Amino acid sequence: MARVVVLTPNPAVDVTYEVAEQRIGETVRVTRVTRRPGGKGLNVVAVLRRLGVPAVALQPLGGDGGRWIEASLLEAGADAVVVRVPGGTRTTVAVVDGRTHPTLYAEPGEALTDAAWTELADAVSRLCEPGGFLVVSGSFPPGSTPERVGALVRAGRASGARVVADTSGAALLAAADAGADIVKPNEAEARDATATDTLEDAAAALLARGAGCVVISRGGDGLTAVEPGGSRHRQPAVPGVDGNPTGAGDAATAGLVAALHSGLPLEEGLRWASVVGAAAVLAPVAGSIDIDDLPLLADRLPAGDRPTLPLPIPTR
């Protein structure tokens, strides 16, 4: 089976602080600290691996943080390809109290050199293959231009891979312009990038720019996919799921790609996205799911909206 390559353009050391209560302007005691390789793409890789999908993690890394991420990925058995950069790798901090929505502090990262951009595009061309996928996931570092983003998408497509872009802002538009097979923003990102007021107008604008399909995450309202010609698919969210939503969208991307990579149609991919995204909400940190939660969550959906279980799931 052809591989899935997941590019994280702006990786991070993800730090989660668990506290009794989030309070502004006060000293807050941290009860637990968790550190893990982060960035949306690395969350996608972690969930794909839990689903039994062969995935290569591609990312630029530099400094002590970058070395820690690389070592952590290798220790976890991930297939990691690193483009080494002279600057450092950023840190993000999530503050979680189990009462309110987590607070996220995200550093911007450092601009990539021309040499790093070239090496990333070359790595995409080398790693991607016909029948596989390139997933471009997360923010881009400062100084990223639409031309740089488009070059990565075109490199994946030229290698015969289907390209899924889960990003925002100018990068989202650039991915659509370069003909990404699927763009997957959330509803706010889609409307903001296209300067439109409705989901329908945002999807139409992204399709008009060249995207092959638009999949929009809508939180508790599920997912909506729009294809050229106006074909539309709606998938409800799994009801009654409470927990930490950080990384749920990344898990949904992984569920979508896992299903499509297995040869399943888009509608089934949306069902998997819904269930896998819900499983991530139940997990304590982003980028993790419990495989045993999937059938239980699927059973909460209406009969016609449940995924067919299982995908290739690793043997325990």
Side-chain angles (χ1 to χ4, degrees):
M1 185 175 287
R3 70 174 68 92
V4 176
V5 178
V6 183
L7 169 60
T8 306
N10 200 19
V13 177
D14 270 1
V15 180
T16 300
Y17 289 155
E18 295 183 27
V19 300
E21 183 181 358
Q22 299 185 58
R23 297 192 299 272
I24 302 299
E26 299 183 34
T27 298
V28 178
R29 303 297 178 186
V30 177
T31 58
R32 183 183 179 193
V33 180
T34 305
R35 289 181 174 85
R36 55 180 300 280
K40 289 175 66 66
L42 290 177
N43 292 339
V44 173
V45 168
V47 176
L48 283 172
R49 293 184 68 227
R50 292 291 292 133
L51 295 172
V53 177
V56 178
L58 170 63
Q59 53 278 312
L61 294 174
D64 290 341
R67 286 187 285 274
W68 182 86
I69 289 176
E70 182 179 10
S72 298
L73 291 172
L74 293 175
E75 183 179 355
D79 189 355
V81 175
V82 174
V83 170
R84 303 192 186 283
V85 296
T89 296
R90 68 190 180 122
T91 297
T92 63
V93 176
V95 182
V96 179
D97 64 6
R99 302 182 181 189
T100 58
H101 194 285
T103 299
L104 182 66
Y105 298 91
E107 296 178 2
E110 296 193 23
L112 299 181
T113 63
D114 290 344
W117 282 112
T118 298
E119 193 172 345
L120 278 176
D122 289 346
V124 167
S125 296
R126 181 178 72 254
L127 295 169
C128 290
E129 56 189 356
F133 279 81
L134 169 66
V135 182
V136 182
S137 185
S139 66
F140 278 76
S144 302
T145 65
E147 292 75 20
R148 296 293 196 188
V149 177
L152 297 172
V153 173
R154 288 189 291 272
R157 297 195 73 220
S159 298
R162 296 169 69 181
V163 179
V164 178
D166 181 2
T167 186
S168 60
L172 175 63
L173 299 180
D177 291 340
D181 296 270
I182 298 174
V183 293
K184 188 193 164 291
N186 63 36
E187 186 170 0
E189 291 167 342
R191 290 190 285 104
D192 289 347
T194 58
T196 54
D197 295 326
T198 68
L199 179 151
E200 292 75 13
D201 289 343
L206 291 168
L207 290 171
R209 297 185 78 108
C213 176
V214 179
V215 175
I216 297 179
S217 298
R218 306 179 64 205
D221 292 325
L223 302 102
T224 296
V226 184
E227 297 180 279
S231 178
R232 180 184 300 262
H233 311 278
R234 293 185 178 89
Q235 170 64 34
V238 177
V241 179
D242 296 314
N244 179 10
T246 306
D250 307 329
T253 298
L256 173 68
V257 171
L260 297 178
H261 187 250
S262 296
L264 298 173
L266 177 61
E267 296 93 329
E268 187 71 2
L270 297 176
R271 295 173 190 137
W272 269 96
S274 178
V275 170
V276 177
V281 174
L282 298 179
V285 295
S288 61
I289 62 169
D290 186 337
I291 293 297
D292 292 336
D293 288 335
L294 300 181
L296 303 176
L297 292 167
D299 284 345
R300 297 189 190 181
L301 288 166
D305 296 315
R306 297 172 188 167
T308 302
L309 297 172
L311 280 168
I313 291 175
T315 302
R316 293 184 180 277

